[in-house]
Amino acid sequence: MRGTSAVGEANSDERETQEMREASEKVAEAERRAREAAARAEEAKAAAERKAQEAEAAKAEAERRAKEEAERRAREAAEAERRAQEAAKAEAGERAKAEAETRNEAETALAAQAAHKRRMLNDGLEATRSKGFLAQLGKIFKGEMSSSVVDELEEILFTADIGVKTSERLLDRVTANLKDKGDGQAAMSLLREEVSSILKSCEQPFVTEPGKPHVILTIGVNGAGKTTTLGKLAAQLTASGKKVLLIAGDTFRAAAIEQLEEWSVRCGCEIYRSKQGADPSGTIYDGIKYAEKNGFDVALADTAGRLQNKKELLDELKKIHRVAGKALSGAPHQVLLVLDATNGQNALMQAKEFGEAIDFSGIVLTKLDGTAKGGVIIGICEEFRKPVYFIGVGEMTEDLQRFEAEEFVEALFLES
Ligand SMILES: Nc1nc2c(ncn2[C@@H]2O[C@H](COP(=O)(O)OP(=O)(O)O)[C@@H](O)[C@H]2O)c(=O)[nH]1
Ligand SMILES: [Mg+2]
């Protein structure tokens, strides 16, 4: 039994030992596992730290790159801006240069135009200077007189083409201010001053109001230069950018319509025409309506200078005037009386007759070139006190000149 028990004890010891071994093994195993776990945890921590560091570094790198990129962009933008400014500056410079060149060209062209205008005026008044009353006045100026300055002056002025009234006024003013009655030069300069003051009173700018359309009517005797003046005026206004309509109101002669038609082709403006023999006021009425409907800036109406008789002509002109006002309120805005300078004192008579029938608003004096009677303008200004808008000194478009008193006086008294 004992043996059995001993064996049993031994077995139990063995088992105990076994169990203890196993237990210690388990502990050892557990410790190992714990160590391993701790090691893994350590490793994981280290890895996490590494990752965190890496992330930190990546973030820092990303920030650095972003900063660099932003700086690069800013630099590029600044460079682009600088280039744009330079280009703009260069372009502005180019533009200013081009503008200056255009201005220079325009100034040169204007100067050339002005010189041409003066030359045409001076040439045009040549006959008036050398053969008209001014040529005779030259004798006074040079002191080549047979009697006193005042007597000579009186004789010359009263035979000149300036009309009695004007001659009287000139003579009175000169004699009243002449201190030494024998001083020819002083008499001439006084005369020039007086002529200048008379002519200045008739200088007025010609404006076409934006009345849409601004209607201008020309009146005057046959051959005075109405149609030609209208053609030249149409050409000048068209060139200045206005939309111009010519109205062929002289239906009396087919040639008059054709003549105006030629001008319309030459200046590139439109013409409103009816048949020869058509009612002139009806034609002008329709023409104004047409101009209004089609947005013309200016409508220039031609009229006949001769009908069956003078009364009929003046009656027709009055009717045209009335009818124009019916077509468009305020029309005609201007009535230009066209006078031919070669008619001399007759031009004064015509102005009187036409003026009694129609209250004209201004005068055009044509054909000052090639006549010795250019002095008539002094009489026209003094007697009618109406603006002289234009003067004709030749056949070309630009030979219809704006009347400028000072320039005219200079050309009139030009010393050769
Ligand atoms: N030399 C010159 N001739 C002109 C001038 N104005 C018009 N004429 C000419 O005078 C003539 C009659 O002109 P025109 O316009 O037909 O006169 P209208 O009958 O009043 O229409 C034409 O041969 C024109 O060329 C001018 O200022 N100088
Ligand atoms: Mg005509």
Side-chain angles (χ1 to χ4, degrees):
M1 206 48 212
R2 188 150 171 201
T4 316
S5 134
V7 170
E9 257 173 47
N11 282 348
S12 120
D13 281 353
E14 230 168 82
R15 212 168 36 242
E16 225 167 81
T17 312
Q18 180 71 17
E19 277 171 7
M20 276 174 67
R21 203 171 36 241
E22 278 172 13
S24 76
E25 270 171 15
K26 270 183 194 160
V27 169
E29 175 67 13
E31 277 175 357
R32 192 183 52 79
R33 287 216 185 112
R35 265 198 314 275
E36 273 177 15
R40 271 201 305 278
E42 200 60 36
E43 229 168 68
K45 193 180 157 211
E49 271 171 9
R50 217 172 30 249
K51 266 200 191 134
Q53 271 170 7
E54 275 171 15
E56 197 64 34
K59 193 178 154 209
E61 175 66 13
E63 273 172 6
R64 192 187 57 75
R65 286 223 187 105
K67 199 172 153 214
E68 255 180 31
E69 177 69 12
E71 279 170 2
R72 191 183 58 79
R73 289 224 180 108
R75 262 199 315 276
E76 274 176 13
E79 175 67 6
E81 168 101 342
R82 193 187 58 75
R83 283 215 196 105
Q85 271 175 4
E86 254 174 27
K89 227 191 271 170
E91 198 185 310
E94 280 300 312
R95 208 180 315 121
K97 207 173 128 202
E99 274 168 13
E101 272 168 18
T102 316
R103 213 168 27 246
N104 277 350
E105 274 167 25
E107 272 166 17
T108 314
L110 275 180
Q113 244 173 33
H116 176 77
K117 186 185 173 197
R118 241 186 338 268
R119 197 167 50 248
M120 286 308 291
L121 183 62
N122 291 346
D123 291 356
L125 293 180
E126 212 280 319
T128 298
R129 270 196 311 273
S130 63
K131 299 195 205 104
F133 78 102
L134 282 158
Q136 289 170 280
L137 286 172
K139 282 191 281 180
I140 299 182
F141 186 70
K142 288 175 193 146
E144 301 163 359
M145 300 166 289
S146 47
S147 52
S148 81
V149 168
V150 175
D151 289 344
E152 286 271 348
L153 199 56
E154 181 169 13
E155 199 188 318
I156 294 167
L157 287 176
F158 281 90
T159 52
D161 292 288
I162 53 181
V164 178
K165 266 201 224 166
T166 312
S167 300
E168 272 171 3
R169 172 182 162 172
L170 286 174
L171 193 63
D172 285 353
R173 296 284 177 90
V174 172
T175 41
N177 294 305
L178 192 63
K179 291 187 191 84
D180 173 3
K181 308 290 178 210
D183 189 347
Q185 285 199 16
M188 277 298 274
S189 76
L190 281 169
L191 185 71
R192 181 178 166 144
E193 263 173 44
E194 277 312 307
V195 168
S196 175
S197 122
I198 291 173
L199 295 189
K200 273 200 185 115
S201 71
C202 287
E203 181 187 303
Q204 204 166 295
F206 180 80
V207 280
T208 56
E209 286 140 32
K212 291 270 174 177
H214 186 82
V215 179
I216 300 171
L217 199 67
T218 44
I219 61 172
V221 301
N222 213 31
K226 294 179 296 302
T227 309
T228 310
T229 295
L230 276 194
K232 291 171 178 172
L233 194 54
Q236 291 181 11
L237 290 172
T238 304
S240 77
K242 298 245 191 285
K243 189 177 176 190
V244 179
L245 181 72
L246 284 167
I247 305 175
D250 180 0
T251 55
F252 193 64
R253 295 173 307 125
I257 302 173
E258 280 159 26
Q259 190 188 351
L260 202 64
E261 207 143 41
E262 274 170 30
W263 273 107
S264 85
V265 171
R266 201 174 310 165
C267 65
C269 64
E270 221 180 302
I271 182 168
Y272 187 90
R273 51 164 295 179
S274 50
K275 286 198 185 74
Q276 184 202 351
D279 176 35
S281 19
T283 304
I284 289 174
Y285 178 93
D286 292 343
I288 294 172
K289 283 282 183 204
Y290 179 83
E292 192 188 12
K293 197 170 148 224
N294 294 283
F296 282 87
D297 300 309
V298 189
L300 302 170
D302 196 17
T303 61
R306 175 166 50 91
L307 293 182
Q308 275 69 20
N309 56 58
K310 200 183 285 169
K311 184 178 179 305
E312 203 173 321
L313 172 68
L314 294 179
D315 285 348
E316 184 60 55
L317 291 175
K318 280 190 229 172
K319 188 174 160 199
I320 288 173
H321 197 275
R322 263 198 323 275
V323 163
K326 282 192 184 135
L328 177 71
S329 168
H333 304 91
Q334 247 157 25
V335 179
L336 298 181
L337 174 65
V338 181
L339 297 170
D340 175 347
T342 57
N343 285 337
Q345 291 221 48
N346 256 338
L348 286 170
M349 288 296 298
Q350 288 162 19
K352 200 159 168 283
E353 276 177 1
F354 277 94
E356 280 164 7
I358 287 182
D359 183 23
F360 59 87
S361 57
I363 292 167
V364 179
L365 187 63
T366 64
K367 307 188 204 177
L368 275 163
D369 53 312
T371 179
K373 297 174 179 173
V376 70
I377 195 167
I378 307 165
I380 289 171
C381 284
E382 172 66 9
E383 282 194 37
F384 298 99
R385 299 269 159 187
K386 297 261 188 175
V388 174
Y389 286 120
F390 296 99
I391 52 173
V393 293
E395 304 261 5
M396 310 298 287
T397 295
E398 65 271 23
D399 297 335
L400 181 74
Q401 299 189 350
R402 295 290 260 281
F403 171 63
E404 281 167 46
E406 201 46 54
E407 228 176 54
F408 196 94
V409 172
E410 256 167 44
L412 207 56
F413 286 84
L414 197 70
E415 283 168 44
S416 45

